[in-house]
Amino acid sequence: MHNFQDAKAAKPAKTARSPAQLRTMFGTNLRHLTQSYSSISELARQLGINRTQFNRYMSGESFPRPDILDRICNFFEVDARILLEPVETIGRQGQILNGPFLSDFLGHGIRDLNESAFPSGFYRFTRRSFVSSDQFVIGLVYAFRSGTTATFIKGYEAREAMRYQGLSESPTTREFRGVVTAHEDGVAFIISRRHAMTYSFNYLARVGSMENNFWLGYVARTVRDGSGERVTRMVYEHLGDDRARAREAARSRGFAKAEDLLPYHRHLLRPDEPFR
């Protein structure tokens, strides 16, 4: 039987890379990561790095300090193997949707979603209730970007809906989160409550309005056949990052009758027409 020293001696030694080789690999990877950006100056600004210094990183002339490297890795959601391997071979953090198998499918829509198509910020939404069909649910969600590759969304189920079903009204139980992806003519996202308790699929397309801040579509919940309505129309209204406006919208969260909805929300939802 080989001992530890035998095994260590039998293992082929890796050739140590010179600082110049590491700088070259890092520069090559950085140029690859920046290909989707139209403005390197704007990218450098977002990273908080001097443009001239950033150019030196990309050309392989210079190497960042550890804290700057950490900032770059977090921004592009890659790890420190950016120094050692071609970036195309490095899996992304949280890499299922952006990993090799789904990268050109679901991952493409996630990467392709920009601020103009679906801006970050608070959204007020309205839809018919699944648990009480003669009422509507008014809610508030927050959409935000993580680095450059994903748009996330989070919010809380209405307390009244949880109470109606005999469920806990704690924030932990009510919270839901999801990921948003670009669609051919709108956006789509999948949402779940904690521990995958419930899922919903959402589709929205922008509709004409004075401020160009409304989306109309539908939400489908994943429940067994015979468990009541599963799909209904939904309206999203972008409120921006105005927290005072968001707090005002939050005060109206919960159940409402059709006649109590905001006029343009009611107009878009067409409560007297069945969803098809």
Side-chain angles (χ1 to χ4, degrees), residues 138-157:
I138 300 172
L140 186 73
V141 297
Y142 185 66
F144 62 97
R145 262 73 184 176
S146 172
T148 61
T149 61
T151 303
F152 296 116
I153 195 164
K154 66 175 291 185
Y156 295 86
E157 298 282 1

Side-chain angles (χ1 to χ4, degrees), residues 26-48:
F26 179 71
T28 300
N29 285 335
L30 199 54
R31 291 195 301 274
H32 178 87
L33 291 169
T34 59
Q35 284 177 355
S36 61
Y37 291 85
S38 58
S39 171
I40 298 300
S41 295
E42 172 60 19
L43 176 59
R45 187 194 66 78
Q46 291 183 42
L47 284 163

Side-chain angles (χ1 to χ4, degrees), residues 146-217:
S146 172
T148 61
T149 61
T151 303
F152 296 116
I153 195 164
K154 66 175 291 185
Y156 295 86
E157 298 282 1
R159 285 188 173 87
E160 291 90 336
M162 304 297 281
R163 191 179 307 132
Y164 185 91
Q165 299 173 82
L167 300 174
S168 168
E169 298 175 38
S170 71
T172 299
T173 306
R174 290 168 48 231
E175 184 180 10
F176 57 81
R177 298 182 184 184
V179 62
V180 189
T181 178
H183 187 278
E184 183 180 11
D185 59 355
V187 295
F189 39 99
I190 186 168
I191 285 177
S192 173
R193 290 209 344 256
R194 196 178 303 274
H195 304 310
M197 289 293 293
T198 59
Y199 279 99
S200 69
F201 171 81
N202 305 256
Y203 164 76
L204 297 169
R206 199 189 295 261
V207 295
S209 65
M210 187 172 295
E211 296 182 16
N212 201 32
N213 63 331
F214 278 88
W215 281 258
L216 175 64

